[in-house]
Amino acid sequence: MSIIIKIDRYLRHTAMPVTRFGRLAANDPRLVGDLRRGRQPGPDLVARIEAFIEGPRA
């Protein structure tokens, strides 16, 4: 499953704004928009995003 699909599922489940997700997961508020426009994340960024998604939820 692609990382953007995982992010979209997480965003739907949590109702978190895309800019907040980007800031919290990667310190980049444009992250989700850039990924939707074709940005290819490296393995380190994918690992950080997945760790954030799988981590404890406040």
Side-chain angles (χ1 to χ4, degrees):
M1 177 181 330
S2 77
I3 194 64
I4 194 62
I5 292 172
K6 290 180 182 182
I7 292 169
D8 284 337
R9 286 184 178 175
Y10 180 86
L11 292 173
R12 273 195 310 276
H13 179 74
T14 63
M16 182 181 290
V18 295
T19 54
R20 182 168 185 222
F21 176 87
R23 243 184 234 110
L24 294 174
N27 199 30
D28 180 1
R30 295 177 20 175
L31 173 70
V32 177
D34 288 350
L35 291 172
R36 288 177 177 163
R37 284 187 292 281
R39 174 177 169 187
Q40 296 297 314
D44 291 341
L45 180 55
V46 170
R48 256 195 317 179
I49 293 168
E50 289 176 339
F52 178 80
I53 288 172
E54 296 167 7
R57 295 190 177 122

